[in-house]
Amino acid sequence: MNLSPNFTLEEMTASETAERHGIDNTPDNDVLMNLRRLALFLEDVRTAVGMPLRINSAYRSPEVNQKVGGKSTSQHCRGVAADLKVKGMTPDQVVRAIIKADLPYDQVIREFDSWTHVSISNTKDQKPRKMALIIDKTGTRPFPNAKD
């Protein structure tokens, strides 16, 4: 099922952890609506970076999220966050492209210098926080020179 021109429900709910542990990772209707909003946002990210996106993780059921060590408040559980990579781009370059494009992100995070986490607001009526961060083994901190 296509959620947008370039993103499917299958890729937005794919989880090796769910498969390995026999966990149902099927979203409910509210999460499905959020995944549609997220997929449309990811279309804008794709345009901003000028390349296809590889989704590592998007929706995670609470049980899957717990198995991967995610926080109970993770936006992945609501279907409003995705971890992604872009071939030929570093996570820093992806973060900067999203910021430069002035997309309505809630959070954009360079995580462990390995992937980029992006999220939209938890509800369609909520204003995005526009938080640009780095998370790594030393902790969480603001993304430097986020506006450059």
Side-chain angles (χ1 to χ4, degrees), residues 72-125:
S72 62
T73 56
S74 173
Q75 289 180 297
H76 288 278
C77 296
R78 293 184 166 166
V80 295
D83 296 335
L84 57 91
K85 291 185 177 187
V86 179
K87 186 176 181 176
M89 293 181 77
T90 67
D92 275 358
Q93 290 171 321
V94 175
V95 169
R96 289 189 190 288
I98 292 168
I99 293 168
K100 184 177 180 181
D102 198 29
L103 298 179
Y105 62 88
D106 190 59
Q107 291 184 319
V108 60
I109 307 171
R110 181 190 84 195
E111 292 197 36
F112 301 97
D113 208 21
S114 294
W115 66 86
T116 305
H117 168 99
V118 295
S119 67
I120 57 175
S121 298
N122 291 335
T123 67
K124 66 181 179 181
D125 299 324

Side-chain angles (χ1 to χ4, degrees), residues 111-113 134-141:
E111 292 197 36
F112 301 97
D113 208 21
I134 293 173
I135 295 176
D136 58 23
K137 64 183 179 185
T138 64
T140 302
R141 61 192 175 280

Side-chain angles (χ1 to χ4, degrees), residues 22-62:
I23 301 169
D24 183 9
N25 201 45
T26 305
D28 64 23
N29 285 336
D30 289 339
V31 170
L32 183 58
M33 295 304 292
N34 284 339
L35 285 170
R36 285 190 176 117
R37 286 191 310 115
L38 178 61
L40 292 172
F41 172 78
L42 291 173
E43 293 290 348
D44 292 337
V45 171
R46 188 177 196 267
T47 298
V49 300
M51 305 275 288
L53 311 178
R54 190 180 96 215
I55 307 301
N56 299 336
S57 176
Y59 173 67
R60 298 182 201 143
S61 70

